[in-house]
Amino acid sequence: QVQFVESGGGLVQAGGSLRLSCAASGSISSIYVMGWYRRATGKQRELVARIGTGGSTNYAEFVKGRFTISRDGAKNTVSLQMNNLKPEDTAVYYCNIVPPATSYWGQGTQVTVSS
């Protein structure tokens, strides 16, 4: 059974940084395109960034230049470095394959950015 466990969230002031980590069971993170998603209160879940098996990356416009996604195949982890955080980045962040598999959603990690 595939399982993703997200960690690294927290409370940070605007302009601060956080690094999120996603641990994947098995080697799934090395054979699929992986993505970080987020869901803010009252909004739909949205794709923030994705990384291909070869390391190619794509970002949503609202995080370009601020967030960096990376993956470590040996450790089966996918990370999201978030810099210059804004209050509108407040959300629960999740990792999943792209496109997402319903049964793979984990608990996510809460990111709260204060102004």
Side-chain angles (χ1 to χ4, degrees):
Q1 183 175 351
V2 174
Q3 184 176 15
F4 294 124
V5 179
E6 302 90 350
S7 62
L11 173 63
V12 64
Q13 288 187 331
S17 299
L18 284 173
R19 185 175 180 85
L20 307 183
S21 183
C22 169
S25 61
S27 61
I28 189 169
S29 64
S30 65
I31 60 176
Y32 286 98
V33 176
M34 291 295 299
W36 278 97
Y37 302 78
R38 72 185 186 186
R39 176 180 281 169
T41 301
K43 296 185 178 181
Q44 290 188 334
R45 189 150 34 197
E46 58 188 356
L47 179 64
V48 173
R50 65 181 185 180
I51 184 166
T53 54
S56 61
T57 58
N58 294 94
Y59 299 91
E61 283 296 323
F62 48 81
V63 303
K64 275 186 179 179
R66 301 188 297 122
F67 290 12
T68 303
I69 189 171
S70 59
R71 68 195 302 166
D72 186 330
K75 296 181 179 179
N76 292 325
T77 58
V78 180
S79 299
L80 186 69
Q81 177 67 42
M82 307 186 296
N83 298 327
N84 190 22
L85 283 160
K86 303 176 181 181
E88 52 263 43
D89 294 320
T90 295
V92 180
Y93 285 72
Y94 306 83
C95 64
N96 203 326
I97 61 175
V98 179
T102 302
S103 62
Y104 293 175
W105 291 116
Q107 295 299 309
T109 185
Q110 175 71 48
V111 171
T112 303
V113 184
S114 63
S115 56

